[in-house]
Amino acid sequence: MNSDSNCQSQSERILLAASECISTKGYANVSMRDIAKEAGVVLSQLNYYFRNKEGLFKEVARLMIDKYLRDIEKSLKAEDSPKERTKSLINYFRKMLRYNPKLFKLLYEFTGLALWSPIFSDLLSKLFKDLSDMIEKYILNKSHLKKIKGYSTESLSRLLIGSMFGTGIQTLLDQDEEVTEALDAMQILFE
């Protein structure tokens, strides 16, 4: 039992270190040695727990995806009306950009990787589909926006999630707080 908890804490340290290294240096600039050093473990431990760099990064991506899905659904469930849920979602993105930009950088790293890797493509495609489904379920299906000029709630939810993540990219690149005001523009749909 004691060795199991030790193994778990060591693998968790490796995952946290990998997450930190990727969000700080970028996927292409991170070596397994960098991660081992950051985690305070020997290099062979990374291969023991995750086989290779792809296996390790796939697990980091899964953890990131789980965090996004959990946090966003919690934010949506916390409110009752579509307008309040939209406001809550916007506040979630605003807080993440301000207080946890590394999580966004991690997402963008894996999204870039997904363009070339079928494994990461499947993971990220599912993330965006699940987020779109949440917006459709918690916001659009409960509002007057069931259809706007013939567009389905699925199309509108993809537009909203794309707008939010696109604004996130602009904010990280510009490092300008005013860019996040673009998020508020989504509330126009609910007035």
Side-chain angles (χ1 to χ4, degrees):
M1 176 89 173
N2 197 4
S3 65
D4 285 346
S5 65
N6 186 24
C7 291
Q8 186 178 21
S9 68
Q10 198 167 40
S11 66
E12 286 174 356
R13 273 198 331 260
I14 292 168
L15 288 169
L16 290 172
S19 175
E20 178 68 23
C21 288
I22 296 166
S23 66
T24 303
K25 297 179 181 182
Y27 173 83
N29 299 319
V30 173
S31 71
M32 295 292 269
R33 288 189 194 288
D34 294 332
I35 296 166
K37 183 178 178 183
E38 177 79 20
V41 300
V42 294
L43 185 59
S44 62
Q45 292 300 96
L46 277 66
N47 291 323
Y48 174 77
Y49 289 109
F50 303 102
R51 271 198 185 172
N52 55 31
K53 189 175 183 178
E54 184 179 83
L56 172 58
F57 286 11
K58 189 166 85 172
E59 192 57 34
V60 171
R62 280 192 183 122
L63 290 173
M64 175 204 65
I65 287 167
D66 289 345
K67 177 162 180 47
Y68 270 112
L69 292 174
R70 232 182 9 260
D71 290 354
I72 289 174
E73 187 163 33
K74 180 181 175 185
S75 141
L76 291 170
K77 283 182 171 180
E79 302 298 336
D80 294 323
S81 73
K83 185 176 183 177
E84 291 302 313
R85 286 178 174 168
T86 302
K87 194 179 289 186
S88 179
L89 185 62
I90 290 168
N91 287 335
Y92 168 80
F93 273 81
R94 192 179 306 268
K95 285 177 187 173
M96 291 300 292
L97 286 164
R98 175 175 274 170
Y99 301 112
N100 197 357
K102 288 182 178 182
L103 187 61
F104 272 96
K105 289 179 181 180
L106 197 59
L107 173 68
Y108 298 132
E109 278 295 319
F110 286 127
T111 302
L113 185 58
L115 295 173
W116 311 109
S117 166
I119 291 169
F120 289 96
S121 177
D122 290 345
L123 287 169
L124 273 290
S125 179
K126 183 173 177 356
L127 168 66
F128 288 117
K129 173 75 171 110
D130 289 349
L131 290 173
S132 176
D133 289 348
M134 276 186 214
I135 289 174
E136 192 174 1
K137 175 182 175 183
Y138 290 105
I139 297 175
L140 297 175
N141 283 337
K142 299 185 187 297
S143 75
H144 67 281
L145 296 176
K146 292 193 179 186
K147 274 203 175 215
I148 293 181
K149 295 193 179 198
Y151 292 101
S152 68
T153 54
E154 180 181 359
S155 295
L156 293 170
S157 66
R158 288 177 181 263
L159 175 67
L160 291 173
I161 202 70
S163 296
M164 295 186 101
F165 282 105
T167 300
I169 289 172
Q170 293 175 55
T171 301
L172 291 173
L173 292 175
D174 291 347
Q175 298 179 351
D176 184 359
E177 280 292 313
E178 292 184 21
V179 175
T180 60
E181 288 181 19
L183 292 171
D184 293 330
M186 288 196 320
Q187 290 185 47
I188 292 170
L189 295 171
F190 300 94
E191 295 177 0

